[in-house]
């Protein structure tokens, strides 16, 4: 410890000891000591990439499976080396880097004590790598990670956490790779639906076929893809027809925090009068459910949809009025109150009172 406090610069002759040094640093890294952090960053900056990466690969095996070591020693070092090295050098080592990130993203699957913050740092490091790759270079890496994630709940959850954050950071650029993720994403969403729903959800919450975190990250990924589809090239009619029933099946979930923005954005991204009307009818038809919570979920999503569609909403009003009239007299106070909010939103958009129709 005294050595790294006195000397931060890392000479090249120490390359042979980097694996052991990294493991030693990681054991004390949880205290976030400034000297250790500086040493980790200096190793990332000073040691040549082709020398450093095999050492990192070896060290991860020990660090990731031990509760006594902190994986952030590796992510900090990798982030620094990705920042420091020129793009050409990184591209020449993309195979080794892929292996490293497969190991790092296995943290959720293999760590004894999982920490969300550490996985987020792994993903942040990965995003830094993506910025240095071209579309042609990044796509095989993404496909490799997707294939690696299949068949494992923990791996799939880690992948879609990555996808959610990537789609947020890259915005419209992520849609260049959307086709590669789409089939898997739909499959995840189709398996997120509740499998046990007693009246009012009974005394227990619905069980999900897949983990709730995976469903959350998948919905966040989809929402980002829809939100940034400004050209409406990704959200084709065929994809709309596939996604709509998968999302509507989730309306029975007790918590629709992440479903609401994705479901409401779907018709907006589709940008079609015909698909708007289809969405409008199918969603509002679910308001006939005998379960008050389902009806409340429907009006929650519908209000979001109305707000997103804005001035274009007017063409849907004639088909909507019968549903609104019924919901305004709902026996559940929450449903009734939220329906009044929808009516107010429509009045703000159209500039006319709905009293004459309702």
């Amino acid at each position: 410890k005294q050595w790294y406090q006195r000397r931060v610069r890392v000479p090249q002759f120490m390359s042979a000891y980097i694996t052991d040094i990294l493991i030693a640093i990681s054991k004390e890294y949880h205290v976030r000591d400034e000297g250790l952090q500086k040493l980790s960053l200096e190793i990332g900056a000073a040691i040549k990439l082709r020398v450093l990466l095999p050492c990192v690969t070896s060290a991860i095996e020990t660090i990731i499976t031990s509760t006594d070591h902190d994986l952030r020693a590796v992510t900090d070092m990798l982030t620094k080396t990705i920042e420091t090295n020129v793009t050409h050098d990184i591209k020449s080592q993309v195979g080794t880097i892929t292996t490293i990130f497969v190991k790092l993203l296995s943290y959720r699957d293999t760590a004894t004590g999982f920490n969300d913050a550490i996985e987020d740092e792994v993903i942040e490091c990965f995003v830094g790598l993506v910025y240095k790759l071209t579309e042609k270079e990044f796509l095989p890496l993404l496909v490799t990670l997707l294939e690696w994630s299949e068949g494992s709940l923990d791996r799939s959850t880690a992948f879609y956490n990555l996808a959610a954050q990537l789609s947020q950071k890259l915005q419209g650029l992520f849609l260049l790779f959307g086709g590669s993720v789409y089939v898997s994403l739909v499959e995840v969403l189709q398996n997120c639906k509740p499998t046990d729903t007693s009246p009012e959800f009974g005394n227990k919450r619905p069980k999900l076929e897949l983990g709730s975190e995976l469903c959350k990250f998948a919905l966040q990924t989809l929402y980002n893809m829809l939100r940034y589809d400004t050209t409406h090239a990704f959200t084709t009619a065929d994809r709309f027809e596939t996604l709509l029933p998968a999302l509507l099946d989730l309306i029975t979930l007790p918590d629709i925090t992440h479903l609401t923005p994705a479901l409401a954005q779907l018709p907006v991204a589709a940008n079609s009068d015909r698909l708007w009307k289809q969405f409008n009818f199918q969603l509002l038809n679910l308001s006939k459910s005998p379960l008050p919570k389902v009806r409340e979920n429907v009006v929650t999503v519908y209000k979001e949809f109305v707000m997103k569609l804005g001035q274009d909403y007017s063409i849907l009003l004639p088909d909507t009025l019968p549903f609104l009239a019924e919901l305004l007299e709902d026996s559940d106070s929450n449903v009734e109150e939220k329906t009044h909010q929808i009516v107010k939103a429509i009045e703000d958009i159209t500039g006319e009172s709905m009293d004459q129709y309702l």
Side-chain angles (χ1 to χ4, degrees), residues 260-332:
T260 299
L263 182 51
Q265 188 67 37
L266 177 61
V268 177
N271 195 38
S272 161
D273 293 7
R274 178 181 67 83
L275 298 180
W276 291 346
K277 291 180 179 181
Q278 179 180 340
F279 174 88
N280 196 65
F281 175 77
Q282 291 191 26
L283 175 61
L284 287 175
N285 201 43
L286 293 175
S287 68
K288 298 183 180 297
S289 169
L291 301 178
K293 182 58 179 174
V294 173
R295 299 198 302 274
E296 182 182 350
N297 287 350
V298 169
V299 293
T300 297
V301 173
Y302 197 75
K303 179 187 176 184
E304 184 83 3
F305 166 60
V306 170
M307 299 297 291
K308 285 179 179 292
L309 207 55
Q311 295 297 325
D312 291 326
Y313 175 77
S314 299
I315 64 171
L316 301 177
L317 189 55
D319 296 333
T320 304
L321 290 174
F323 292 100
L324 292 180
E326 186 174 341
L327 289 166
L328 283 170
E329 298 180 357
D330 197 275
S331 59
D332 185 87

Side-chain angles (χ1 to χ4, degrees), residues 85-285:
N85 280 270
V86 297
T87 303
H88 173 75
D89 290 340
I90 292 174
K91 290 177 180 179
S92 68
Q93 298 293 324
V94 73
T96 305
I97 292 174
T98 300
T99 300
I100 288 174
F101 275 103
V102 165
K103 290 178 180 292
L104 289 175
L105 287 168
S106 297
Y107 168 69
R108 180 184 289 265
D109 189 33
T110 58
T112 304
F114 176 72
N115 183 333
D116 287 330
I118 292 179
E119 183 171 271
D120 287 341
E121 289 207 23
V122 170
I123 292 171
E124 185 177 351
C125 180
F126 185 85
V127 171
L129 168 67
V130 173
Y131 288 146
K132 294 223 170 181
L133 300 177
T134 65
E135 174 189 351
K136 184 177 179 180
E137 292 155 347
F138 173 60
L139 182 57
L141 174 55
L142 183 67
V143 171
T144 296
L145 292 175
L146 177 59
E147 291 174 347
W148 158 83
S149 72
E150 293 173 350
S152 165
L153 176 58
D154 284 334
R155 291 182 179 185
S156 293
T157 304
F159 175 81
Y160 277 101
N161 188 10
L162 171 67
Q165 296 192 45
L166 268 179
S167 57
Q168 173 62 36
K169 299 277 189 182
L170 298 181
Q171 300 186 6
L173 291 176
F174 186 79
L175 294 174
L176 295 172
F177 320 104
S180 301
V181 178
Y182 172 74
V183 174
S184 169
L185 180 60
V186 170
E187 184 178 349
V188 170
L189 293 173
Q190 288 173 338
N191 286 291
C192 281
K193 60 185 177 183
T195 57
D196 179 15
T197 52
S198 49
E200 286 303 304
F201 305 120
N203 296 320
K204 54 185 177 180
R205 299 167 74 87
K207 297 177 181 178
L208 298 183
E209 293 181 17
L210 297 181
S212 57
E213 272 202 303
L214 173 55
C215 297
K216 177 184 78 172
F217 293 141
L219 287 168
Q220 288 176 337
T221 301
L222 176 61
Y223 171 61
N224 289 334
M225 293 169 73
L226 297 172
R227 178 167 58 142
Y228 295 119
D229 185 19
T230 55
T231 63
H232 312 291
F234 174 78
T235 316
T236 62
D238 286 344
R239 285 176 174 165
F240 176 92
E241 298 281 358
T242 301
L243 286 166
L244 182 58
L247 294 176
L248 289 178
D249 277 347
L250 303 183
I251 205 73
T252 56
L253 291 174
D255 182 358
I256 59 167
T257 302
H258 302 287
L259 171 66
T260 299
L263 182 51
Q265 188 67 37
L266 177 61
V268 177
N271 195 38
S272 161
D273 293 7
R274 178 181 67 83
L275 298 180
W276 291 346
K277 291 180 179 181
Q278 179 180 340
F279 174 88
N280 196 65
F281 175 77
Q282 291 191 26
L283 175 61
L284 287 175
N285 201 43

